[in-house]
Amino acid sequence: MSNIENRKREHVEFALSEGSQGRRSALWEDVHLVPVSVPDMGPADVDLSVDFLGHRLSTPLVISGMTGGHARAVEINRNLAVAAEELGLAIGTGSQRAALKDPDLVGTYSVVRTHAPAAFVIGNIGMSQLISQEGESPMGRDEIDRAVSMIDADALAVHLNAVEELVQPEGDRNMRDLSGGIVNAVRWSPVPVIAKETGAGMARETALRLAETGVAALDVGGAGGTSFARIEALRADAIGDTTGVRIGRTFGDWGVPTAVSLLEAGSAGLPLIGTGGVRNGLHAAKAMALGASLVGIGGPFIRAALDGPGAVIAEARLVLEELRVAMVLTGVRDVQGLRRLQPVLVGRAAEWVASRGGTRSTRPRQ
């Protein structure tokens, strides 16, 4: 087993542990939707379809990219893909770096498209691979084409994982001209590029800078869910890397909580995907009321995938029904109506907005 393949396997194993979860809240508890006591509608009247990057999706729910590149990923990704196809969910893969280096691992990713032929599929490459690293040349047009074609991707995520790389024992620490690398990816990719944070969220300044690179959408990946800094601290502890353990624990909750990250990133005027600590349909409704076009869930679905596609389908149906109920209780019939709501912010979310000069979403484009 290669080093990358082994690392991908460990990421899944540690992601399923309690120690992988951040101690910081995504701040959904500080976001309140104004109730409508006489909604004049029911769940059957709700339309969950949404436009995103030129595609009409039947639901706004995304199975966030989590894994690939190791033997166990075949079963996990197959089960996730079956659910995506059954329910009309969008679905992402984990980083495709492993398969770009070892063609024998392509099947751990392509299984997604095989079992979800009609789904909106999002590929995944890392920001660090877009620039030179020690002993390794930057990813070029050919590798980007291969990443897209191996899963017939509809969009390509460039994951932003600075905290993880700085904690990871074998992390890529050169981060000079990452913006230039993203510009190249946008220019070379045959499909729209999504800039995807992985647990540290996006501040307004970052979102505006990313918009200048030409990316088509932002996945805020806010703090409040799985913490890759904590995962890397667990990996470091397993090999006796005391420095990695210390830095991982110190920065385990680094970042912008998801709820306020959506408000911050909305300043860029790009379509948003709200991920990070989304655990139910009410969270999803709040994320869309804060400006998200789509909402991503990772951890709960990957846990369900270990029990088969039926478990993923059951969990996703619950989330979607909770979302419909939230829409009925706020009196909106479609996703656009949900995104026009003005949620009430209290507590730490309100304090964050006040301290940042009144940051509020500009209702980004679809």
Side-chain angles (χ1 to χ4, degrees):
M1 183 181 293
S2 69
N3 289 335
I4 294 178
E5 186 177 357
N6 186 60
R7 184 163 72 245
K8 298 302 180 187
R9 178 188 58 79
E10 290 178 345
H11 281 165
V12 171
E13 292 177 356
F14 284 120
L16 295 171
S17 71
E18 287 297 321
S20 70
Q21 299 305 294
R23 305 294 187 267
R24 195 173 185 184
S25 168
L27 296 186
W28 303 123
E29 69 275 14
D30 289 345
V31 179
H32 294 269
L33 303 180
V34 178
V36 172
S37 299
V38 186
D40 290 326
M41 58 179 289
D45 300 310
V46 168
D47 177 8
L48 291 180
S49 62
V50 62
D51 292 316
F52 185 74
L53 299 183
H55 294 256
R56 186 69 175 175
L57 309 183
S58 58
T59 83
L61 193 58
V62 182
I63 298 175
S64 294
M66 289 292 290
T67 192
H70 59 99
R72 196 179 188 188
V74 175
E75 178 185 3
I76 293 172
N77 279 340
R78 181 184 64 241
N79 294 341
L80 294 172
V82 169
E85 185 72 10
E86 172 75 17
L87 300 178
L89 313 180
I91 182 172
T93 72
S95 172
Q96 295 171 259
R97 181 185 185 187
L100 293 173
K101 288 182 169 293
D102 183 356
D104 289 341
L105 297 174
V106 167
T108 68
Y109 300 93
S110 63
V111 66
V112 170
R113 178 55 81 189
T114 299
H115 291 276
F120 186 88
V121 175
I122 305 171
N124 192 326
I125 59 175
M127 66 175 190
S128 298
Q129 284 72 65
L130 296 173
I131 58 176
S132 297
Q133 299 297 335
E134 185 175 351
E136 191 170 344
S137 299
M139 186 179 293
R141 184 190 299 270
D142 177 64
E143 288 94 340
I144 288 175
D145 281 339
R146 285 166 51 204
V148 171
S149 64
M150 88 169 59
I151 58 172
D152 189 19
D154 297 293
L156 180 66
V158 174
H159 67 259
L160 316 176
N161 62 335
V163 178
E164 180 186 18
E165 296 287 4
L166 293 171
V167 177
Q168 190 177 98
E170 60 276 75
D172 293 320
R173 287 172 169 76
N174 177 32
M175 299 188 185
R176 299 184 186 92
D177 197 26
L178 282 172
S179 295
I182 296 172
V183 167
N184 286 336
V186 170
R187 183 166 62 243
W188 294 332
S189 175
V191 295
V193 171
I194 301 169
K196 173 183 172 60
E197 243 296 347
T198 57
M202 285 187 189
R204 175 177 55 217
E205 295 82 358
T206 297
L208 292 171
R209 186 177 178 188
L210 286 167
E212 292 176 353
T213 69
V215 298
L218 304 174
D219 183 336
V220 303
T226 299
S227 166
F228 278 93
R230 292 190 179 278
I231 288 175
E232 294 299 346
L234 293 170
R235 291 185 64 239
D237 188 46
I239 61 173
D241 176 4
T242 56
T243 299
V245 172
R246 172 65 177 264
I247 296 176
R249 290 175 178 171
T250 299
F251 293 93
D253 298 314
W254 174 263
V256 184
T258 307
V260 290
S261 185
L262 285 164
L263 296 174
E264 293 261 347
S267 301
L270 293 174
L272 303 180
I273 304 176
T275 61
V278 177
R279 296 293 179 256
N280 55 56
L282 180 56
H283 292 167
K286 290 180 178 182
M288 285 185 281
L290 292 171
S293 295
L294 304 181
V295 181
I297 296 179
F301 284 154
I302 201 169
R303 290 183 182 89
L306 298 177
D307 294 324
V312 184
I313 291 170
E315 177 63 24
R317 280 181 171 155
L318 285 171
V319 172
L320 292 173
E321 187 60 20
E322 289 170 333
L323 175 56
R324 290 187 186 94
V325 169
M327 293 171 71
V328 170
L329 293 176
T330 52
V332 296
R333 294 176 178 268
D334 55 29
V335 171
Q336 282 301 96
L338 187 56
R339 296 178 68 240
R340 285 192 293 268
L341 294 178
Q342 292 295 320
V344 176
L345 304 182
V346 300
R348 287 169 292 175
E351 292 170 2
W352 181 290
V353 169
S355 68
R356 291 281 284 165
T359 295
R360 292 303 300 265
S361 173
T362 59
R363 300 301 173 193
R365 300 189 302 271
Q366 291 181 343

